[in-house]
Amino acid sequence: QSALTQPPSASGSPGQSVTISCTGTSSDVGGYNYVSWYQQHPGKAPKLMIYEVSRRPSGVPDRFSGSKSGNTASLTVSGLQAEDEADYYCCSYASSNNVVFGGGTKVTVL
Amino acid sequence: QVQLGQSGAEVKKPGASVKVSCKASGYTFTSYYIQWVRQAPGQGLEWMGMFNPSGGSTNYAQKFQGRLTMTRDTSTTTVYMELSSLRSEDTAVYYCARGRSTWSTMDVWGQGTTVTVSS
């Protein structure tokens, strides 16, 4: 199972929006609405930010939103804040009971 | 509150095995999967496999087939991940995470266990 494709980096100024893409295939992202996004700060465990493409867990700000079109999922962070600077990983269920992660995107708040 | 507590750091020699524990608390142990994910230094997240505490079934990533074993102790609500025939490329932080039936949803994570493989 190949990793999902994410851009290595993205950036934006405080208050701006940044969108991260996550491209897979019809066997993972495109085939199921089971895409999630994780935020990871240096030295910390990942944190669930979005699940099932666009659902937000309790406690996650509504500045974070998710969507999907075909084989590509996206995470948008609106109203960027300093604490949003982190690595972000997409994750998808894949056929035959597998899970695949993206390579990660480092978001920098300028 | 819902927590996953992992065992401490390990240093192993190539060819050895390591067993990492993940103790669940604050929720019904058998109602959620336990996923294992690892992260090599400076690298991204890699899914290793899933364990279902209700019945003990497993699904391992193909990459780890034959080297990976997940087990449980229901009396202590603990899941174990054992990786054998260790090589230097297995040096990583190993995380357990509580998983939902959608598999990709991991809503609670352990603090991570650092495993270093070095001669």
Side-chain angles (χ1 to χ4, degrees):
Chain A
Q1 197 71 40
S2 299
L4 306 175
T5 300
Q6 296 182 235
S9 63
S11 63
S13 300
Q16 289 187 331
S17 294
V18 65
T19 297
I20 304 166
S21 61
C22 170
T23 301
T25 69
S26 58
S27 296
D28 38 64
V29 173
Y32 311 91
N33 288 323
Y34 296 152
V35 176
S36 54
W37 289 89
Y38 297 89
Q39 177 191 66
Q40 187 180 36
H41 288 109
K44 300 295 187 181
K47 175 186 176 184
L48 179 67
M49 304 302 285
I50 296 288
Y51 67 102
E52 293 175 23
V53 175
S54 60
R55 304 181 73 169
R56 248 185 339 270
S58 173
V60 172
D62 60 7
R63 304 184 292 104
F64 291 85
S65 62
S67 62
K68 191 185 87 166
S69 178
N71 295 338
T72 299
S74 299
L75 172 73
T76 298
V77 186
S78 306
L80 266 176
Q81 299 183 5
E83 60 262 35
D84 299 333
E85 185 161 296
D87 293 325
Y88 291 83
Y89 295 91
C90 62
C91 177
S92 176
Y93 173 81
S95 57
S96 303
N97 290 342
N98 282 288
V99 173
V100 61
F101 281 96
T105 298
K106 181 177 181 60
V107 169
T108 302
V109 180
L110 302 171
Chain B
Q1 71 276 29
V2 177
Q3 283 186 327
L4 295 175
Q6 298 185 226
S7 48
E10 303 264 12
V11 179
K12 296 292 182 181
K13 293 196 182 303
S17 297
V18 69
K19 193 170 186 177
V20 178
S21 68
C22 174
K23 179 173 174 56
S25 60
Y27 70 95
T28 302
F29 180 60
T30 53
S31 294
Y32 295 85
Y33 299 158
I34 292 291
Q35 303 276 18
W36 288 90
V37 175
R38 76 178 185 178
Q39 186 171 36
Q43 302 302 308
L45 302 174
E46 180 177 32
W47 180 72
M48 299 180 69
M50 180 281 293
F51 183 85
N52 186 350
S54 176
S57 61
T58 57
N59 268 90
Y60 302 147
Q62 187 172 10
K63 175 177 180 177
F64 300 102
Q65 295 274 359
R67 285 209 299 147
L68 180 60
T69 305
M70 296 178 188
T71 56
R72 77 186 189 279
D73 182 341
T74 54
S75 68
T76 60
T77 63
T78 300
V79 174
Y80 299 92
M81 184 281 297
E82 184 170 20
L83 189 63
S84 62
S85 302
L86 289 170
R87 32 205 188 236
S88 59
E89 309 90 88
D90 294 318
T91 294
V93 177
Y94 289 76
Y95 293 101
C96 63
R98 190 178 79 163
R100 302 188 190 175
S101 59
T102 55
W103 287 62
S104 64
T105 304
M106 303 172 213
D107 61 357
V108 179
W109 291 66
Q111 80 273 24
T113 296
T114 299
V115 175
T116 303
V117 182
S118 174
S119 55

